[in-house]
């Protein structure tokens, strides 16, 4: 049986003694560290850390850990930090349009308990995938979007996300550009899958563009969504080899396998609190 | 002992009966086919073929094959075609600047007879790699280039290539943009290695740009050089995974292994007459 | 709209004129060839071919093609051949135990019409995955197996397969060894996924064995089932990199993504009639 | 300019406070840590660490660091440890037979200063590669080996290795089995490249065996040499996809590119003191 753990994600200016201070804090309070990874960006003198420890015998009560850590350690090192507990399930909303490959891959991972997560709703601008939501007994909200209705429909989406207390939004081949306003409500909490090897082939129809360019490898990129289209911090990328024998239709078909794996890997890292973002780049711990 | 073979590379509008006609031509004249591959681009109705046969018992004399094929077959199908013989060694000029990884990889393959090819000269805009040319006993021409001298220095290069009867020019991390005039002399006969996953990161310092963008995979692309920078038909691409732990220096170091393999694979395909180009895309037979 | 096609899979001793004869047969009878690939195994002088053509305007009636081809071409070249039509859906039975990743991947591909196939039943030695069968409205047969009951339970399975007119059996992480008798009923019609890079780690618990050996890459292999355990002709293999940071549990989790993709790729090739088997090795056309 | 650093490699039973103690030791003595990575094998309760710091301002003299660390830290935690300095170049002997691809790849990396290493001699049981040694001005020792002469010839080899003060032996496609006695002189100091995906295809002619088995992926494995043939701790593995179109000769040719990269990656990790071995498995830090 896996024991309950606490997880600290830390980001601060690099200084001597940070690891020392953090491990000291846990050690002195009887925390059994089960995971420690850190990264120093020497060119910008920045430090990143993820540490996880069993809280059963930890001498600081769960609800006090944040306060103590902030007072005793974080301030001293000007840390940005976040604290998570392994028994808190994230609540994830999945946005889709018509393609089912990513959605099925996500739902399978929840259903099989590979991921310990809640998916309380699926939102789509089309009805196409409603039967899948029904297969998995998940509420499905059909919110069609046109240029004219975009603001109002996004408001509906945001209302739903708030009602359902959503922690993470996954755009699983959701073929709509999300507005800046929407993104502001979920900073670094929206993961998109783009079906190209970014920064190549930004925007729509990347497989068509890849085919036209005559590439020998196609890709997929999962990233946090920011105001700049397809320009947010990259979490994971994957590729598939293609040859002259394959046309756009083959690219699309083969690409799906890549997209779903790349998206699911990114979601998994987020669920495990293993991602930190800085200067539009990600630190993704193993 | 491998027997001498002839190779036909064919490109024409798709029609019923092409394979039939070509194999018939060989069959009727006692050609023993050892390789046949073809590709039909259905969207553009174009047909591509590579066929190779042993010429020992072929009833048409080696010097007459082209004429006969043209008269009896090619005209009927409006074919573009080229004829090659396995005992004709290509003569390759290698252009370099300061980095040795691709050069060594190429020279090793010649030296070890992995490739049956002649490298009669190396041309560079710097003296740095002269010792390697000496190691392998290959004439080394130092032709420095500035904006002011470019036209005149390229004329010197072209004169050398003509004197040495060069069939193929390889830009093995040659850090100069080759002029349109130069390219016109060697259409689809100049292979470049670009140290990015094209079309991402065209131009100089692609690893720096890749690092800035925060990609998780870096790439290399070998392509025929055309008048548009880094936009020629792609022959081969390869990739290397990177993480947040790696900086630009690591990208450069790791990228070298990828670059040399990707470039050498492209050269090998060209040497084996396995590449056809159409609409800025390549057909690369296995 | 894709037109109906016929597909010939051919295997025979290599001789001059085979391609000629086959393409001639189609050409003379007004067959529009949309796919042609062939392979010659020069060391064993064996020839393999897959050819596909539109039958709409073909001058030989669909039900007569086999007879004509056999009489006019196949006998002359001592061909083994099979004829298929693109509008004949294969009927596939999926065997599972407790793990759902391969099953979901297969069902998604049918459900989304990526594959044009029928899955009329799922058979399992456990009840675990019954809810998934129900999700997809597919009859689920629970046939538990012990050493004592194996013969009798396999007889039940075979009866079901016959009743449902099954063309292909897929062992989607079915954790039972299938008997020789069972295999004899479906020669080269049973595809298994083994969760190792065969021939390494044959048998049970390959991830445990891989971990013990300290490998840096784990694999998965899909193959036709033969009487020798995990020794049948390999169709497709895939790999995943691992590091010292990962334990057996991680291998199992990461391996699933690889397994499902490798199995589905193999099934797809079989459904497209692109596999020929000879000397326990496969020719898998693109 | 890179500053001189010291590197500690540590292996001990896992306990609370190890990282704390080690970083404290460096911190208190003014060591600027530039690299820290650690790994805990929870199933065996073992801890591994690599830490690197600039020694310019370190308060303990270089020649005293080992003693102080042992007394103050290592004993307390029952550590096995080793101390290295970035300005100490390793001295590497390369053993070859007739194939040059790995040798060239190694020599290029030294020559181009990608590696900061000395290669004072090359040893071979054949004369074939002597010209390459001459190209690079490295003493070449031809020591032919037969069953009858093996013991005596290995004694000569060992004498040379001692004379040249060799730290690391690289078997770069050296087609001889090294005796247990030889191995005992260089425990975890002999790196071999085996041209298969171990543990598949142990022993000689692995590409032939791979071809016979009909695999779709071939591999290469670099490992430390132990008394059991091809069974030592694996450092790095790489793969190459193959198809039915390729015969043994193609496997051999394609495999070379994989072998040389896999071997060079393993050597690089060893040179950087990034490998720890335990239970016949390696911890290879990034």
């Amino acid at each position: 049986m896996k024991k309950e753990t606490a997880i600290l994600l830390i980001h601060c200016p690099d200084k001597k003694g940070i690891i020392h201070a953090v491990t000291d804090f846990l050690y002195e309070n009887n925390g059994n560290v089960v995971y420690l990874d850190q990264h120093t960006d020497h060119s910008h003198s920045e430090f990143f850390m993820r540490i996880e420890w069993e809280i059963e015998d930890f001498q600081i009560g769960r609800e006090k850990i944040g306060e103590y850590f902030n007072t005793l350690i974080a301030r001293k090192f000007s840390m940005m930090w976040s604290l998570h507990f392994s028994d808190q399930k994230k609540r994830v909303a999945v946005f889709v349009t018509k393609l089912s490959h990513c959605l099925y891959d996500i739902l399978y991972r929840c259903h099989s308990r590979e991921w310990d997560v809640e998916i309380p709703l699926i939102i789509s601008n089309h009805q196409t995938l409603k039967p899948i939501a029904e297969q998995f007994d998940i509420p499905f909200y059909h919110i069609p979007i046109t240029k004219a209705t975009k603001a109002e429909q996004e408001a509906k989406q945001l209302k739903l996300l708030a009602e359902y207390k959503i922690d993470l939004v996954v755009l699983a081949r959701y073929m709509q550009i999300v507005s800046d306003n929407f993104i502001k409500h979920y900073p670094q909490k929206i993961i998109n899958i783009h079906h190209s090897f970014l920064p190549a082939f930004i925007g729509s129809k990347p497989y068509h563009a890849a085919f036209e360019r005559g590439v020998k490898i196609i890709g997929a990129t999962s990233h946090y969504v920011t105001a700049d289209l397809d320009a947010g911090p990259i979490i994971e990328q994957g590729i598939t080899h293609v040859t002259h024998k394959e046309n756009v239709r083959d690219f699309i078909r083969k690409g799906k396998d890549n997209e779903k794996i790349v998206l699911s890997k990114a979601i998994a890292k987020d669920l495990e609190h293993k991602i930190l973002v800085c200067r539009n780049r990600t630190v993704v711990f193993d």
Side-chain angles (χ1 to χ4, degrees), chain A:
Chain A
M1 184 61 200
K2 228 192 146 194
K3 291 180 182 164
E4 293 310 331
T5 58
I7 297 148
L8 266 171
L9 274 179
I10 296 165
H11 174 197
C12 62
D14 190 29
K15 262 194 216 172
K16 278 183 198 170
I18 304 173
I19 299 175
H20 176 78
V22 175
T23 56
D24 200 30
F25 172 74
L26 299 182
Y27 180 55
E28 293 298 325
N29 293 295
N30 211 30
N32 186 33
V33 173
V34 292
Y35 181 101
L36 186 162
D37 206 353
Q38 83 296 328
H39 168 61
T40 307
D41 176 342
H42 291 286
S43 59
H44 298 102
S45 274
E46 279 176 298
F47 179 83
F48 305 86
M49 186 171 183
R50 182 188 187 278
I51 193 160
E52 182 173 0
W53 70 100
E54 293 168 358
I55 51 173
E56 199 179 38
D57 299 325
F58 198 53
Q59 291 179 1
I60 304 170
R62 175 174 172 144
E63 70 295 343
K64 287 287 183 189
I65 296 174
E67 180 196 325
Y68 277 49
F69 180 74
N70 195 48
T71 305
L72 300 174
I73 312 289
R75 282 184 197 161
K76 185 173 162 193
F77 292 97
S78 312
M79 288 174 176
M80 288 188 289
W81 58 273
S82 62
L83 177 66
H84 313 274
F85 295 95
S86 62
D87 58 357
Q88 292 169 326
K89 282 190 194 186
K90 278 208 183 181
R91 296 172 65 79
V92 179
V94 184
F95 281 52
V96 294
T97 295
K98 291 181 175 177
L99 294 172
S100 63
H101 55 293
C102 290
L103 179 59
Y104 264 125
D105 205 63
I106 290 165
L107 295 179
Y108 139 70
R109 288 173 208 268
C110 304
H111 205 252
S112 68
R113 318 304 297 160
E114 180 176 316
W115 293 345
D116 202 21
V117 70
E118 298 284 343
I119 302 199
L121 83 163
I122 294 168
I123 290 176
S124 180
N125 54 336
H126 284 82
Q127 293 275 18
T128 319
L129 302 184
K130 190 173 184 184
I132 301 177
E134 288 168 357
Q135 271 188 320
F136 287 84
D137 264 330
I138 297 173
F140 179 90
Y141 293 87
H142 176 222
I143 305 182
I145 290 190
T146 63
K147 271 194 189 172
T149 64
K150 183 153 186 164
E152 129 199 30
Q153 296 297 71
E154 282 199 345
K156 276 190 208 166
Q157 294 174 342
L158 287 168
K159 191 152 169 283
L160 281 168
L161 299 184
E163 279 171 23
Y164 279 99
K165 296 184 170 41
I166 291 303
D167 301 303
L168 178 68
V169 173
V170 173
L171 308 183
R173 295 298 310 273
Y174 178 61
M175 306 309 279
Q176 286 285 327
I177 295 173
V178 176
S179 75
D180 289 10
N181 175 55
F182 187 101
I183 296 165
K184 267 176 209 148
H185 285 77
Y186 291 90
Q188 279 162 41
K189 291 182 175 174
I190 308 172
I191 295 180
N192 182 44
I193 179 72
H194 183 71
H195 42 311
S196 87
F197 190 97
L198 288 176
F201 310 123
I202 284 170
S204 70
K205 297 208 175 267
Y207 290 132
H208 289 77
F211 181 79
E212 273 313 303
R213 180 59 190 91
V215 300
K216 299 300 185 186
I217 295 179
I218 54 175
T221 304
S222 52
H223 62 96
Y224 287 119
V225 175
T226 58
D228 292 330
L229 181 64
D230 297 333
I234 293 170
I235 305 169
E236 177 85 25
Q237 297 188 291
I239 60 108
T240 308
H241 289 267
V242 291
T243 76
H244 61 270
K245 294 183 192 172
E246 285 151 315
N247 56 30
V248 175
R249 210 159 154 176
D250 299 314
F251 283 23
I252 292 170
R253 183 181 43 74
K254 290 180 81 169
K256 284 178 185 171
D257 285 356
N258 193 28
E259 293 161 29
K260 73 184 182 190
I261 300 295
V262 167
L263 177 58
S264 288
K265 280 184 179 173
I267 297 169
K269 288 294 183 187
D270 185 280
L271 296 177
E272 296 165 6
H273 309 288
K274 289 192 167 168
I275 312 178
L276 280 160
V277 175
C278 178
R279 297 169 200 281
N280 208 43
R281 294 163 54 213
T282 58
V283 169
V284 182
F285 289 115
D286 287 316

